[in-house]
Amino acid sequence: QFQLVESGGGLVQPGGSLTISCTASKKSVNRYNIGWFRQVPGNEREGVGTISTRSESTVYAPSVKGRFTITRNNTKNGAYLQMNNLTPEDTGVYFCAAFSNWFSDYVLPPSDLMEIWGQGTRVTVSS
């Protein structure tokens, strides 16, 4: 197994951009698909997007499609979430997670399919 650590969160103004990172402690992460989720206090954790093991496929939530881009660099054991045109509704704690079996090319997997989670990084979008 391995650990996942998110970094790069912070305060950004509406309309701004931010890229956050997910770094794994071992290269075995490259056998897993990666999901990004976010959570606001009082709400359930919601899927943002996923990327397959070798970046062949990505899936995004409708609320972020066209604004967010997920990439990964398997040499660096890393995955990244580039966020553009941010709005206050994008505020939350962002988590990355690893899962073994690709779920769908059209819809995001449920959070309970994730096997390993990072600790989260907080993103605040506010003027």
mmCIF file of all heavy atoms in Angstrom, residues 45-97:
data_model
loop_
_atom_site.group_PDB
_atom_site.id
_atom_site.type_symbol
_atom_site.label_atom_id
_atom_site.label_comp_id
_atom_site.label_asym_id
_atom_site.label_seq_id
_atom_site.Cartn_x
_atom_site.Cartn_y
_atom_site.Cartn_z
ATOM 1 N N ARG A 45 -19.366 14.162 0.560
ATOM 2 C CA ARG A 45 -18.227 14.256 -0.331
ATOM 3 C C ARG A 45 -18.675 13.980 -1.766
ATOM 4 O O ARG A 45 -19.326 12.960 -2.034
ATOM 5 C CB ARG A 45 -17.159 13.263 0.108
ATOM 6 C CG ARG A 45 -15.805 13.469 -0.523
ATOM 7 C CD ARG A 45 -14.745 12.635 0.187
ATOM 8 N NE ARG A 45 -14.576 13.057 1.585
ATOM 9 C CZ ARG A 45 -13.647 12.572 2.394
ATOM 10 N NH1 ARG A 45 -12.794 11.660 1.960
ATOM 11 N NH2 ARG A 45 -13.579 13.005 3.648
ATOM 12 N N GLU A 46 -18.351 14.881 -2.681
ATOM 13 C CA GLU A 46 -18.804 14.746 -4.054
ATOM 14 C C GLU A 46 -17.631 14.560 -5.001
ATOM 15 O O GLU A 46 -16.552 15.124 -4.812
ATOM 16 C CB GLU A 46 -19.633 15.955 -4.482
ATOM 17 C CG GLU A 46 -18.859 17.251 -4.557
ATOM 18 C CD GLU A 46 -19.669 18.396 -5.143
ATOM 19 O OE1 GLU A 46 -20.777 18.159 -5.655
ATOM 20 O OE2 GLU A 46 -19.179 19.548 -5.080
ATOM 21 N N GLY A 47 -17.863 13.779 -6.029
ATOM 22 C CA GLY A 47 -16.838 13.545 -7.018
ATOM 23 C C GLY A 47 -16.605 14.761 -7.892
ATOM 24 O O GLY A 47 -17.543 15.451 -8.290
ATOM 25 N N VAL A 48 -15.351 15.012 -8.197
ATOM 26 C CA VAL A 48 -14.946 16.079 -9.096
ATOM 27 C C VAL A 48 -14.533 15.520 -10.447
ATOM 28 O O VAL A 48 -14.955 16.004 -11.497
ATOM 29 C CB VAL A 48 -13.810 16.903 -8.477
ATOM 30 C CG1 VAL A 48 -13.291 17.942 -9.468
ATOM 31 C CG2 VAL A 48 -14.272 17.574 -7.189
ATOM 32 N N GLY A 49 -13.706 14.489 -10.423
ATOM 33 C CA GLY A 49 -13.251 13.874 -11.655
ATOM 34 C C GLY A 49 -12.342 12.711 -11.372
ATOM 35 O O GLY A 49 -11.902 12.504 -10.241
ATOM 36 N N THR A 50 -12.057 11.949 -12.420
ATOM 37 C CA THR A 50 -11.177 10.793 -12.306
ATOM 38 C C THR A 50 -10.254 10.728 -13.513
ATOM 39 O O THR A 50 -10.554 11.269 -14.583
ATOM 40 C CB THR A 50 -11.953 9.471 -12.217
ATOM 41 O OG1 THR A 50 -12.838 9.343 -13.339
ATOM 42 C CG2 THR A 50 -12.765 9.398 -10.930
ATOM 43 N N ILE A 51 -9.141 10.043 -13.329
ATOM 44 C CA ILE A 51 -8.198 9.802 -14.411
ATOM 45 C C ILE A 51 -7.724 8.362 -14.306
ATOM 46 O O ILE A 51 -7.508 7.846 -13.206
ATOM 47 C CB ILE A 51 -7.023 10.802 -14.378
ATOM 48 C CG1 ILE A 51 -6.149 10.657 -15.627
ATOM 49 C CG2 ILE A 51 -6.205 10.658 -13.100
ATOM 50 C CD1 ILE A 51 -5.189 11.824 -15.820
ATOM 51 N N SER A 52 -7.565 7.714 -15.431
ATOM 52 C CA SER A 52 -7.184 6.311 -15.451
ATOM 53 C C SER A 52 -5.687 6.146 -15.242
ATOM 54 O O SER A 52 -4.920 7.109 -15.200
ATOM 55 C CB SER A 52 -7.624 5.662 -16.764
ATOM 56 O OG SER A 52 -7.029 6.313 -17.877
ATOM 57 N N THR A 53 -5.260 4.902 -15.137
ATOM 58 C CA THR A 53 -3.892 4.613 -14.715
ATOM 59 C C THR A 53 -2.825 5.252 -15.588
ATOM 60 O O THR A 53 -1.827 5.772 -15.075
ATOM 61 C CB THR A 53 -3.661 3.100 -14.658
ATOM 62 O OG1 THR A 53 -4.027 2.511 -15.914
ATOM 63 C CG2 THR A 53 -4.484 2.473 -13.540
ATOM 64 N N ARG A 54 -3.020 5.213 -16.887
ATOM 65 C CA ARG A 54 -2.028 5.768 -17.816
ATOM 66 C C ARG A 54 -2.567 6.993 -18.560
ATOM 67 O O ARG A 54 -2.114 7.297 -19.664
ATOM 68 C CB ARG A 54 -1.563 4.690 -18.789
ATOM 69 C CG ARG A 54 -0.821 3.540 -18.108
ATOM 70 C CD ARG A 54 -0.246 2.554 -19.120
ATOM 71 N NE ARG A 54 -1.272 1.977 -19.966
ATOM 72 C CZ ARG A 54 -2.048 0.973 -19.620
ATOM 73 N NH1 ARG A 54 -1.919 0.418 -18.423
ATOM 74 N NH2 ARG A 54 -2.967 0.515 -20.459
ATOM 75 N N SER A 55 -3.524 7.665 -17.962
ATOM 76 C CA SER A 55 -4.094 8.899 -18.487
ATOM 77 C C SER A 55 -4.865 8.690 -19.783
ATOM 78 O O SER A 55 -5.076 9.650 -20.538
ATOM 79 C CB SER A 55 -3.012 9.963 -18.697
ATOM 80 O OG SER A 55 -2.310 10.216 -17.503
ATOM 81 N N GLU A 56 -5.305 7.461 -20.032
ATOM 82 C CA GLU A 56 -6.059 7.207 -21.254
ATOM 83 C C GLU A 56 -7.440 7.848 -21.218
ATOM 84 O O GLU A 56 -7.971 8.230 -22.269
ATOM 85 C CB GLU A 56 -6.239 5.704 -21.479
ATOM 86 C CG GLU A 56 -4.968 4.897 -21.360
ATOM 87 C CD GLU A 56 -4.866 4.193 -20.017
ATOM 88 O OE1 GLU A 56 -5.130 4.854 -18.994
ATOM 89 O OE2 GLU A 56 -4.541 2.998 -19.995
ATOM 90 N N SER A 57 -8.029 7.937 -20.015
ATOM 91 C CA SER A 57 -9.404 8.403 -19.877
ATOM 92 C C SER A 57 -9.531 9.359 -18.708
ATOM 93 O O SER A 57 -8.858 9.201 -17.685
ATOM 94 C CB SER A 57 -10.362 7.228 -19.667
ATOM 95 O OG SER A 57 -10.318 6.319 -20.749
ATOM 96 N N THR A 58 -10.412 10.325 -18.856
ATOM 97 C CA THR A 58 -10.807 11.205 -17.763
ATOM 98 C C THR A 58 -12.320 11.360 -17.776
ATOM 99 O O THR A 58 -12.953 11.285 -18.826
ATOM 100 C CB THR A 58 -10.164 12.591 -17.859
ATOM 101 O OG1 THR A 58 -10.405 13.149 -19.154
ATOM 102 C CG2 THR A 58 -8.662 12.520 -17.623
ATOM 103 N N VAL A 59 -12.881 11.567 -16.603
ATOM 104 C CA VAL A 59 -14.301 11.833 -16.435
ATOM 105 C C VAL A 59 -14.434 12.978 -15.449
ATOM 106 O O VAL A 59 -13.732 13.019 -14.438
ATOM 107 C CB VAL A 59 -15.068 10.599 -15.922
ATOM 108 C CG1 VAL A 59 -16.563 10.895 -15.834
ATOM 109 C CG2 VAL A 59 -14.827 9.392 -16.821
ATOM 110 N N TYR A 60 -15.347 13.904 -15.725
ATOM 111 C CA TYR A 60 -15.536 15.069 -14.880
ATOM 112 C C TYR A 60 -16.999 15.222 -14.475
ATOM 113 O O TYR A 60 -17.911 14.857 -15.221
ATOM 114 C CB TYR A 60 -15.111 16.343 -15.602
ATOM 115 C CG TYR A 60 -13.653 16.379 -15.978
ATOM 116 C CD1 TYR A 60 -13.233 15.988 -17.241
ATOM 117 C CD2 TYR A 60 -12.700 16.813 -15.063
ATOM 118 C CE1 TYR A 60 -11.896 16.021 -17.586
ATOM 119 C CE2 TYR A 60 -11.355 16.845 -15.407
ATOM 120 C CZ TYR A 60 -10.964 16.448 -16.661
ATOM 121 O OH TYR A 60 -9.631 16.480 -17.010
ATOM 122 N N ALA A 61 -17.195 15.798 -13.311
ATOM 123 C CA ALA A 61 -18.537 16.188 -12.915
ATOM 124 C C ALA A 61 -19.033 17.306 -13.826
ATOM 125 O O ALA A 61 -18.255 18.172 -14.245
ATOM 126 C CB ALA A 61 -18.542 16.656 -11.465
ATOM 127 N N PRO A 62 -20.327 17.314 -14.142
ATOM 128 C CA PRO A 62 -20.845 18.388 -14.999
ATOM 129 C C PRO A 62 -20.553 19.786 -14.469
ATOM 130 O O PRO A 62 -20.342 20.710 -15.264
ATOM 131 C CB PRO A 62 -22.354 18.104 -15.031
ATOM 132 C CG PRO A 62 -22.456 16.630 -14.808
ATOM 133 C CD PRO A 62 -21.361 16.312 -13.839
ATOM 134 N N SER A 63 -20.504 19.947 -13.158
ATOM 135 C CA SER A 63 -20.294 21.258 -12.579
ATOM 136 C C SER A 63 -18.896 21.819 -12.824
ATOM 137 O O SER A 63 -18.690 23.027 -12.691
ATOM 138 C CB SER A 63 -20.567 21.218 -11.073
ATOM 139 O OG SER A 63 -19.705 20.296 -10.431
ATOM 140 N N VAL A 64 -17.942 20.962 -13.167
ATOM 141 C CA VAL A 64 -16.573 21.427 -13.368
ATOM 142 C C VAL A 64 -16.061 21.194 -14.780
ATOM 143 O O VAL A 64 -14.992 21.721 -15.131
ATOM 144 C CB VAL A 64 -15.598 20.785 -12.360
ATOM 145 C CG1 VAL A 64 -16.095 20.966 -10.939
ATOM 146 C CG2 VAL A 64 -15.370 19.306 -12.671
ATOM 147 N N LYS A 65 -16.781 20.439 -15.578
ATOM 148 C CA LYS A 65 -16.314 20.125 -16.925
ATOM 149 C C LYS A 65 -16.114 21.408 -17.726
ATOM 150 O O LYS A 65 -16.970 22.285 -17.753
ATOM 151 C CB LYS A 65 -17.293 19.202 -17.636
ATOM 152 C CG LYS A 65 -16.765 18.680 -18.968
ATOM 153 C CD LYS A 65 -17.666 17.615 -19.538
ATOM 154 C CE LYS A 65 -17.156 17.106 -20.879
ATOM 155 N NZ LYS A 65 -15.789 16.531 -20.762
ATOM 156 N N GLY A 66 -14.968 21.495 -18.381
ATOM 157 C CA GLY A 66 -14.604 22.678 -19.126
ATOM 158 C C GLY A 66 -13.796 23.675 -18.327
ATOM 159 O O GLY A 66 -13.181 24.577 -18.911
ATOM 160 N N ARG A 67 -13.800 23.551 -17.004
ATOM 161 C CA ARG A 67 -13.037 24.446 -16.141
ATOM 162 C C ARG A 67 -11.876 23.737 -15.454
ATOM 163 O O ARG A 67 -10.840 24.350 -15.202
ATOM 164 C CB ARG A 67 -13.940 25.061 -15.068
ATOM 165 C CG ARG A 67 -15.073 25.915 -15.620
ATOM 166 C CD ARG A 67 -15.784 26.653 -14.496
ATOM 167 N NE ARG A 67 -16.399 25.729 -13.542
ATOM 168 C CZ ARG A 67 -16.119 25.716 -12.230
ATOM 169 N NH1 ARG A 67 -15.241 26.569 -11.722
ATOM 170 N NH2 ARG A 67 -16.732 24.851 -11.437
ATOM 171 N N PHE A 68 -12.061 22.474 -15.116
ATOM 172 C CA PHE A 68 -11.049 21.704 -14.390
ATOM 173 C C PHE A 68 -10.415 20.677 -15.319
ATOM 174 O O PHE A 68 -11.086 20.113 -16.196
ATOM 175 C CB PHE A 68 -11.671 20.962 -13.205
ATOM 176 C CG PHE A 68 -12.116 21.826 -12.055
ATOM 177 C CD1 PHE A 68 -12.221 23.202 -12.164
ATOM 178 C CD2 PHE A 68 -12.432 21.234 -10.840
ATOM 179 C CE1 PHE A 68 -12.634 23.985 -11.100
ATOM 180 C CE2 PHE A 68 -12.846 21.997 -9.768
ATOM 181 C CZ PHE A 68 -12.951 23.367 -9.888
ATOM 182 N N THR A 69 -9.132 20.416 -15.099
ATOM 183 C CA THR A 69 -8.412 19.415 -15.870
ATOM 184 C C THR A 69 -7.591 18.550 -14.924
ATOM 185 O O THR A 69 -6.834 19.070 -14.108
ATOM 186 C CB THR A 69 -7.483 20.057 -16.901
ATOM 187 O OG1 THR A 69 -8.235 20.912 -17.775
ATOM 188 C CG2 THR A 69 -6.792 18.985 -17.736
ATOM 189 N N ILE A 70 -7.745 17.250 -15.056
ATOM 190 C CA ILE A 70 -6.966 16.301 -14.267
ATOM 191 C C ILE A 70 -5.859 15.723 -15.132
ATOM 192 O O ILE A 70 -6.099 15.310 -16.269
ATOM 193 C CB ILE A 70 -7.854 15.169 -13.727
ATOM 194 C CG1 ILE A 70 -8.950 15.734 -12.818
ATOM 195 C CG2 ILE A 70 -7.017 14.136 -12.976
ATOM 196 C CD1 ILE A 70 -9.986 14.706 -12.408
ATOM 197 N N THR A 71 -4.655 15.706 -14.593
ATOM 198 C CA THR A 71 -3.517 15.079 -15.251
ATOM 199 C C THR A 71 -2.780 14.218 -14.236
ATOM 200 O O THR A 71 -3.047 14.282 -13.036
ATOM 201 C CB THR A 71 -2.557 16.128 -15.840
ATOM 202 O OG1 THR A 71 -2.103 17.006 -14.800
ATOM 203 C CG2 THR A 71 -3.249 16.947 -16.920
ATOM 204 N N ARG A 72 -1.860 13.413 -14.732
ATOM 205 C CA ARG A 72 -0.988 12.683 -13.829
ATOM 206 C C ARG A 72 0.364 12.481 -14.483
ATOM 207 O O ARG A 72 0.490 12.471 -15.709
ATOM 208 C CB ARG A 72 -1.609 11.356 -13.381
ATOM 209 C CG ARG A 72 -1.729 10.289 -14.449
ATOM 210 C CD ARG A 72 -2.552 9.092 -13.939
ATOM 211 N NE ARG A 72 -1.922 8.438 -12.799
ATOM 212 C CZ ARG A 72 -2.499 7.483 -12.064
ATOM 213 N NH1 ARG A 72 -3.743 7.086 -12.341
ATOM 214 N NH2 ARG A 72 -1.857 6.937 -11.044
ATOM 215 N N ASN A 73 1.364 12.334 -13.641
ATOM 216 C CA ASN A 73 2.725 12.072 -14.066
ATOM 217 C C ASN A 73 3.196 10.860 -13.282
ATOM 218 O O ASN A 73 3.548 10.969 -12.109
ATOM 219 C CB ASN A 73 3.611 13.290 -13.800
ATOM 220 C CG ASN A 73 5.017 13.116 -14.330
ATOM 221 O OD1 ASN A 73 5.557 12.013 -14.351
ATOM 222 N ND2 ASN A 73 5.627 14.216 -14.759
ATOM 223 N N ASN A 74 3.186 9.724 -13.934
ATOM 224 C CA ASN A 74 3.485 8.488 -13.220
ATOM 225 C C ASN A 74 4.952 8.403 -12.803
ATOM 226 O O ASN A 74 5.273 7.721 -11.829
ATOM 227 C CB ASN A 74 3.088 7.283 -14.068
ATOM 228 C CG ASN A 74 1.589 7.122 -14.184
ATOM 229 O OD1 ASN A 74 0.822 7.872 -13.576
ATOM 230 N ND2 ASN A 74 1.156 6.150 -14.965
ATOM 231 N N THR A 75 5.830 9.077 -13.525
ATOM 232 C CA THR A 75 7.228 9.109 -13.120
ATOM 233 C C THR A 75 7.389 9.785 -11.763
ATOM 234 O O THR A 75 8.248 9.410 -10.961
ATOM 235 C CB THR A 75 8.076 9.823 -14.181
ATOM 236 O OG1 THR A 75 7.973 9.118 -15.423
ATOM 237 C CG2 THR A 75 9.530 9.896 -13.755
ATOM 238 N N LYS A 76 6.556 10.789 -11.507
ATOM 239 C CA LYS A 76 6.600 11.518 -10.244
ATOM 240 C C LYS A 76 5.618 10.987 -9.214
ATOM 241 O O LYS A 76 5.501 11.568 -8.130
ATOM 242 C CB LYS A 76 6.322 12.994 -10.489
ATOM 243 C CG LYS A 76 7.369 13.684 -11.349
ATOM 244 C CD LYS A 76 7.039 15.159 -11.520
ATOM 245 C CE LYS A 76 8.101 15.874 -12.328
ATOM 246 N NZ LYS A 76 7.791 17.314 -12.499
ATOM 247 N N ASN A 77 4.908 9.923 -9.542
ATOM 248 C CA ASN A 77 3.884 9.355 -8.652
ATOM 249 C C ASN A 77 2.863 10.412 -8.263
ATOM 250 O O ASN A 77 2.388 10.452 -7.124
ATOM 251 C CB ASN A 77 4.521 8.754 -7.394
ATOM 252 C CG ASN A 77 5.575 7.714 -7.695
ATOM 253 O OD1 ASN A 77 5.532 7.050 -8.725
ATOM 254 N ND2 ASN A 77 6.530 7.554 -6.787
ATOM 255 N N GLY A 78 2.526 11.260 -9.222
ATOM 256 C CA GLY A 78 1.681 12.394 -8.923
ATOM 257 C C GLY A 78 0.450 12.500 -9.806
ATOM 258 O O GLY A 78 0.421 12.012 -10.935
ATOM 259 N N ALA A 79 -0.549 13.153 -9.267
ATOM 260 C CA ALA A 79 -1.748 13.521 -9.997
ATOM 261 C C ALA A 79 -2.085 14.961 -9.647
ATOM 262 O O ALA A 79 -1.768 15.437 -8.551
ATOM 263 C CB ALA A 79 -2.912 12.594 -9.665
ATOM 264 N N TYR A 80 -2.746 15.646 -10.575
ATOM 265 C CA TYR A 80 -2.917 17.086 -10.435
ATOM 266 C C TYR A 80 -4.323 17.483 -10.859
ATOM 267 O O TYR A 80 -4.917 16.886 -11.768
ATOM 268 C CB TYR A 80 -1.885 17.825 -11.290
ATOM 269 C CG TYR A 80 -0.510 17.254 -11.107
ATOM 270 C CD1 TYR A 80 -0.035 16.263 -11.954
ATOM 271 C CD2 TYR A 80 0.295 17.668 -10.049
ATOM 272 C CE1 TYR A 80 1.212 15.702 -11.764
ATOM 273 C CE2 TYR A 80 1.544 17.110 -9.853
ATOM 274 C CZ TYR A 80 2.005 16.130 -10.708
ATOM 275 O OH TYR A 80 3.238 15.577 -10.512
ATOM 276 N N LEU A 81 -4.834 18.497 -10.197
ATOM 277 C CA LEU A 81 -6.134 19.058 -10.538
ATOM 278 C C LEU A 81 -5.944 20.538 -10.820
ATOM 279 O O LEU A 81 -5.683 21.324 -9.902
ATOM 280 C CB LEU A 81 -7.131 18.844 -9.399
ATOM 281 C CG LEU A 81 -8.541 19.397 -9.622
ATOM 282 C CD1 LEU A 81 -9.215 18.710 -10.795
ATOM 283 C CD2 LEU A 81 -9.376 19.256 -8.356
ATOM 284 N N GLN A 82 -6.039 20.908 -12.087
ATOM 285 C CA GLN A 82 -5.959 22.302 -12.499
ATOM 286 C C GLN A 82 -7.366 22.875 -12.522
ATOM 287 O O GLN A 82 -8.242 22.353 -13.209
ATOM 288 C CB GLN A 82 -5.305 22.419 -13.869
ATOM 289 C CG GLN A 82 -5.196 23.845 -14.380
ATOM 290 C CD GLN A 82 -4.583 23.921 -15.762
ATOM 291 O OE1 GLN A 82 -3.651 23.199 -16.076
ATOM 292 N NE2 GLN A 82 -5.106 24.802 -16.590
ATOM 293 N N MET A 83 -7.561 23.958 -11.785
ATOM 294 C CA MET A 83 -8.874 24.560 -11.632
ATOM 295 C C MET A 83 -8.838 25.982 -12.170
ATOM 296 O O MET A 83 -8.038 26.804 -11.712
ATOM 297 C CB MET A 83 -9.293 24.556 -10.164
ATOM 298 C CG MET A 83 -9.349 23.161 -9.557
ATOM 299 S SD MET A 83 -9.776 23.175 -7.789
ATOM 300 C CE MET A 83 -8.220 23.741 -7.104
ATOM 301 N N ASN A 84 -9.691 26.266 -13.131
ATOM 302 C CA ASN A 84 -9.782 27.584 -13.742
ATOM 303 C C ASN A 84 -11.170 28.164 -13.538
ATOM 304 O O ASN A 84 -12.129 27.442 -13.273
ATOM 305 C CB ASN A 84 -9.484 27.495 -15.240
ATOM 306 C CG ASN A 84 -8.097 27.009 -15.550
ATOM 307 O OD1 ASN A 84 -7.140 27.313 -14.833
ATOM 308 N ND2 ASN A 84 -7.959 26.250 -16.632
ATOM 309 N N ASN A 85 -11.266 29.473 -13.690
ATOM 310 C CA ASN A 85 -12.547 30.176 -13.580
ATOM 311 C C ASN A 85 -13.287 29.785 -12.309
ATOM 312 O O ASN A 85 -14.477 29.467 -12.323
ATOM 313 C CB ASN A 85 -13.409 29.894 -14.815
ATOM 314 C CG ASN A 85 -12.748 30.339 -16.095
ATOM 315 O OD1 ASN A 85 -12.170 31.419 -16.157
ATOM 316 N ND2 ASN A 85 -12.830 29.503 -17.129
ATOM 317 N N LEU A 86 -12.592 29.855 -11.209
ATOM 318 C CA LEU A 86 -13.138 29.392 -9.941
ATOM 319 C C LEU A 86 -14.266 30.289 -9.450
ATOM 320 O O LEU A 86 -14.254 31.506 -9.651
ATOM 321 C CB LEU A 86 -12.041 29.318 -8.897
ATOM 322 C CG LEU A 86 -11.079 28.137 -9.078
ATOM 323 C CD1 LEU A 86 -9.780 28.383 -8.332
ATOM 324 C CD2 LEU A 86 -11.740 26.850 -8.594
ATOM 325 N N THR A 87 -15.229 29.663 -8.800
ATOM 326 C CA THR A 87 -16.354 30.354 -8.187
ATOM 327 C C THR A 87 -16.420 29.988 -6.717
ATOM 328 O O THR A 87 -15.829 28.991 -6.281
ATOM 329 C CB THR A 87 -17.680 29.978 -8.861
ATOM 330 O OG1 THR A 87 -18.102 28.685 -8.423
ATOM 331 C CG2 THR A 87 -17.535 29.972 -10.375
ATOM 332 N N PRO A 88 -17.149 30.764 -5.906
ATOM 333 C CA PRO A 88 -17.280 30.401 -4.492
ATOM 334 C C PRO A 88 -17.846 29.008 -4.263
ATOM 335 O O PRO A 88 -17.551 28.397 -3.229
ATOM 336 C CB PRO A 88 -18.207 31.487 -3.945
ATOM 337 C CG PRO A 88 -17.919 32.671 -4.807
ATOM 338 C CD PRO A 88 -17.702 32.102 -6.178
ATOM 339 N N GLU A 89 -18.634 28.493 -5.198
ATOM 340 C CA GLU A 89 -19.176 27.143 -5.049
ATOM 341 C C GLU A 89 -18.108 26.068 -5.170
ATOM 342 O O GLU A 89 -18.370 24.909 -4.841
ATOM 343 C CB GLU A 89 -20.284 26.898 -6.076
ATOM 344 C CG GLU A 89 -21.540 27.724 -5.823
ATOM 345 C CD GLU A 89 -22.676 27.369 -6.749
ATOM 346 O OE1 GLU A 89 -22.429 26.702 -7.776
ATOM 347 O OE2 GLU A 89 -23.821 27.758 -6.456
ATOM 348 N N ASP A 90 -16.924 26.432 -5.645
ATOM 349 C CA ASP A 90 -15.819 25.486 -5.701
ATOM 350 C C ASP A 90 -15.083 25.369 -4.375
ATOM 351 O O ASP A 90 -14.173 24.539 -4.245
ATOM 352 C CB ASP A 90 -14.826 25.889 -6.794
ATOM 353 C CG ASP A 90 -15.429 25.826 -8.182
ATOM 354 O OD1 ASP A 90 -16.111 24.824 -8.489
ATOM 355 O OD2 ASP A 90 -15.207 26.772 -8.962
ATOM 356 N N THR A 91 -15.437 26.189 -3.407
ATOM 357 C CA THR A 91 -14.798 26.132 -2.099
ATOM 358 C C THR A 91 -15.030 24.781 -1.442
ATOM 359 O O THR A 91 -16.131 24.224 -1.510
ATOM 360 C CB THR A 91 -15.339 27.249 -1.203
ATOM 361 O OG1 THR A 91 -14.903 28.515 -1.707
ATOM 362 C CG2 THR A 91 -14.840 27.103 0.233
ATOM 363 N N GLY A 92 -14.007 24.254 -0.812
ATOM 364 C CA GLY A 92 -14.136 23.008 -0.093
ATOM 365 C C GLY A 92 -12.783 22.393 0.184
ATOM 366 O O GLY A 92 -11.743 22.932 -0.196
ATOM 367 N N VAL A 93 -12.815 21.272 0.856
ATOM 368 C CA VAL A 93 -11.613 20.477 1.052
ATOM 369 C C VAL A 93 -11.553 19.462 -0.079
ATOM 370 O O VAL A 93 -12.503 18.707 -0.294
ATOM 371 C CB VAL A 93 -11.610 19.779 2.419
ATOM 372 C CG1 VAL A 93 -10.370 18.909 2.575
ATOM 373 C CG2 VAL A 93 -11.667 20.815 3.537
ATOM 374 N N TYR A 94 -10.452 19.450 -0.785
ATOM 375 C CA TYR A 94 -10.273 18.578 -1.934
ATOM 376 C C TYR A 94 -9.419 17.386 -1.554
ATOM 377 O O TYR A 94 -8.350 17.533 -0.962
ATOM 378 C CB TYR A 94 -9.632 19.344 -3.083
ATOM 379 C CG TYR A 94 -10.603 20.245 -3.809
ATOM 380 C CD1 TYR A 94 -11.098 21.394 -3.204
ATOM 381 C CD2 TYR A 94 -11.038 19.933 -5.098
ATOM 382 C CE1 TYR A 94 -12.009 22.212 -3.856
ATOM 383 C CE2 TYR A 94 -11.936 20.750 -5.757
ATOM 384 C CZ TYR A 94 -12.422 21.883 -5.138
ATOM 385 O OH TYR A 94 -13.318 22.695 -5.803
ATOM 386 N N PHE A 95 -9.896 16.209 -1.910
ATOM 387 C CA PHE A 95 -9.232 14.957 -1.605
ATOM 388 C C PHE A 95 -8.888 14.221 -2.892
ATOM 389 O O PHE A 95 -9.681 14.212 -3.836
ATOM 390 C CB PHE A 95 -10.133 14.041 -0.775
ATOM 391 C CG PHE A 95 -10.583 14.612 0.534
ATOM 392 C CD1 PHE A 95 -11.706 15.417 0.614
ATOM 393 C CD2 PHE A 95 -9.889 14.322 1.691
ATOM 394 C CE1 PHE A 95 -12.135 15.933 1.822
ATOM 395 C CE2 PHE A 95 -10.309 14.826 2.909
ATOM 396 C CZ PHE A 95 -11.428 15.636 2.977
ATOM 397 N N CYS A 96 -7.751 13.571 -2.915
ATOM 398 C CA CYS A 96 -7.489 12.593 -3.958
ATOM 399 C C CYS A 96 -7.603 11.202 -3.368
ATOM 400 O O CYS A 96 -7.467 10.999 -2.156
ATOM 401 C CB CYS A 96 -6.121 12.803 -4.620
ATOM 402 S SG CYS A 96 -4.679 12.591 -3.551
ATOM 403 N N ALA A 97 -7.890 10.245 -4.225
ATOM 404 C CA ALA A 97 -8.084 8.875 -3.792
ATOM 405 C C ALA A 97 -7.717 7.933 -4.922
ATOM 406 O O ALA A 97 -7.745 8.315 -6.094
ATOM 407 C CB ALA A 97 -9.535 8.648 -3.355
#
